[in-house]
Amino acid sequence: MTQFTPFDVQRDDVVLHGRIGGNGAPLLLLHGHPQTHAIWHGIAPALAERFTVIAMDLRGYGDSGRPADDANHVAYSKREMARDARAVMAHHGFSRFGVLAHDRGARVAHRLAADHGEAVDRMLLLDIAPTLSMYGNTSEAFARAYWHWFFLIQPPPLPEALIASDPVRYVRSVMGGRHAGLAPFALEVMAEYERCIVIDGTAESICADYRASATIDLVHDREDVAAGRKLASPLRVLWGEHGAVGKCFDVLALWREVAHHVSGHSVPCGHYVPEEAPDAVLAEAFDFFSPLNKT
């Protein structure tokens, strides 16, 4: 994504890093764990031919800031990360936009649409079901496949220490342990993931992100359920047919419990959909986000 212009946006005490490029309606791209905005390298150039693409690193990842965690994990709540995303888009002059997001970034997108529905025109989420539903319906098969969900939320400092002892090995083990191994990842992009995982504070921020998802994020999700709030923005969900999400959960049914307008289907890949099936993601994105350029 070297043809895109890098940016740094300051929100409170956190610097948010990313890249922007292209022409057309605004489209925000959010990555997952343990990656960076580089996951979009295979599709961002094509998207930029039709949209203004803003790809950012979540706080705690990539070259964005790594604020200290707090006792209630507020600093790494998806609510705070959603505020980061909105601040980045506002910095670039966009008050309403589309969102394309994978994994952790898709959980941020969910909260962004829940808290700031007026800003999210529509969103395309990759390989997740709602966090509350996934925890609430955890099976042995899911726990085995997503072991890191339960490892990273253990009390400090053990998870942090184990990651920091060999962070590159951690990245390669997590990413390489899925359906396709490490084959889908370009060498230069893998090198970028490895560069960022060794930045001081990354192990702590990754654990904080997951601890937030298992605590304060669930509080926020339960508050939405109790109040009968559902996402109003059109939502499309894609998931890998070889991944654990589609095998362990009824993805569309769970999203229809929390959103009014849901469509989607599986694609022939594993968890890392943007890098394993870039053509399928592009085709869906061009179809789903085409109304953005007509408003």
Side-chain angles (χ1 to χ4, degrees), residues 8-60:
D8 289 298
V9 174
Q10 184 89 31
R11 178 180 170 253
D12 297 332
D13 60 345
V14 180
V15 174
L16 303 164
H17 178 76
R19 292 180 179 271
I20 183 171
N23 295 284
L27 182 60
L28 173 64
L29 275 53
L30 300 173
H31 68 87
H33 161 274
Q35 300 171 286
T36 74
H37 75 272
I39 71 165
W40 308 109
H41 69 96
I43 66 174
L47 288 173
E49 295 176 4
R50 305 188 192 183
F51 304 97
T52 299
V53 173
I54 301 93
M56 64 176 284
D57 290 333
L58 301 177
R59 61 169 59 195

Side-chain angles (χ1 to χ4, degrees), residues 108-126:
V108 176
H110 179 187
R111 180 47 52 193
L112 180 65
D115 288 357
H116 309 280
E118 73 283 359
V120 178
D121 187 285
R122 53 187 49 227
M123 59 181 183
L124 174 56
L125 306 185
L126 305 178

Side-chain angles (χ1 to χ4, degrees), residues 28 50 62 74 98 119 122 133 158 166 187 202 209 216 238 244 254 260:
L28 173 64
R50 305 188 192 183
V74 173
R122 53 187 49 227
S133 299
L158 182 60
D166 195 343
L187 292 179
T202 302
D209 170 22
I216 190 169
L238 304 179
L254 292 177
H260 289 293

Side-chain angles (χ1 to χ4, degrees), residues 239-273:
W239 62 93
E241 66 180 42
H242 303 297
V245 172
K247 291 179 179 178
C248 295
F249 304 98
D250 187 335
V251 179
L252 292 181
L254 292 177
W255 278 111
R256 285 171 178 149
E257 292 178 0
V258 301
H260 289 293
H261 311 290
V262 181
S263 61
H265 57 83
S266 65
V267 290
C269 65
H271 174 65
Y272 296 101
V273 185

Side-chain angles (χ1 to χ4, degrees), residues 43-105:
I43 66 174
L47 288 173
E49 295 176 4
R50 305 188 192 183
F51 304 97
T52 299
V53 173
I54 301 93
M56 64 176 284
D57 290 333
L58 301 177
R59 61 169 59 195
Y61 294 86
D63 287 309
S64 285
R66 288 151 172 73
D69 196 16
D70 55 272
N72 294 318
H73 312 301
V74 173
Y76 285 87
S77 68
K78 303 310 157 292
R79 176 158 285 165
E80 282 301 311
M81 291 186 177
R83 289 170 178 160
D84 289 344
R86 190 160 192 197
V88 165
M89 296 305 283
H91 172 84
H92 291 294
F94 303 120
S95 60
R96 189 168 174 83
F97 44 87
V99 184
L100 170 57
H102 174 249
D103 189 75
R104 309 307 290 174

